[in-house]
Amino acid sequence: MSSARTLTSTVSKRHPAARTSAPVPSNTFAPSVPPASMVDRALGGLASVLTRYSITALRISLGLVFLGFGVLKFFPGMSPAAELAERTIGTLTFGLVGPTAALLLTAIMETVIGLTLVTGLFLRTGLVILAAALVGIMSPVVLFYGELFPAGGPTLTGQYVLKDIVLACAGAVIGAAALGARLRLPQE
């Protein structure tokens, strides 16, 4: 018996909390968190990457689209939208701007927009030019509705103009980010 008493006193001297700690009740408020599955961890990692890089990727890809469209307009006959751009600007300016000048103006604007979006330099200036350009880009829907959307549905040119809605929305997201909006994960 004396050896048991010695063992107990030695344990209590080394670990005094061992004798006084009470068991943790099962009805505590601390939620038990199950271990994250491999899918949950992968989705969390993907969400983190998307939060960090998606707006930059959107900005650069939109810039490449505008840069490509703009550069094509510098070469006669290369842009499928050249005739539409000439007619639209001619109509919007009541014929004051001729077809060649209209196409050159469009080419310069789209190229500048593309360069600012790709590089991120003078981004706010590029976004202001983009906002102004979107008025001209979307105006064929109003000006030439009958040609773009005959009774059977949109023509190929009508579809070309409709895709610009996506470009306008992408520009809005990039503009919001340039003005300080941020994507965040819920736990941030």
Side-chain angles (χ1 to χ4, degrees), residues 4-121:
R5 206 177 276 173
T6 308
L7 181 63
T8 306
S9 63
T10 307
V11 169
S12 65
K13 286 180 185 175
R14 277 192 230 155
H15 304 288
R19 283 180 87 192
T20 59
S21 65
V24 177
S26 62
N27 63 352
T28 60
F29 291 107
S32 63
V33 178
S37 71
M38 182 181 276
V39 172
D40 290 338
R41 287 192 309 267
L43 289 175
L46 178 62
S48 178
V49 168
L50 289 174
T51 300
R52 181 172 287 140
Y53 300 111
S54 63
I55 292 178
T56 302
L58 181 64
R59 176 180 56 80
I60 292 170
S61 62
L62 183 63
L64 290 172
V65 168
F66 269 94
L67 190 59
F69 287 167
V71 169
L72 280 180
K73 288 179 179 75
F74 284 113
F75 302 98
M78 292 296 295
S79 174
E83 189 267 331
L84 182 62
E86 292 168 354
R87 284 182 51 213
T88 301
I89 292 185
T91 303
L92 289 174
T93 62
F94 303 106
L96 296 174
V97 176
T100 305
L103 192 58
L104 182 60
L105 176 65
T106 304
I108 291 170
M109 285 178 64
E110 289 180 355
T111 302
V112 168
I113 291 165
L115 288 172
T116 62
L117 289 171
V118 168
T119 64
L121 300 172

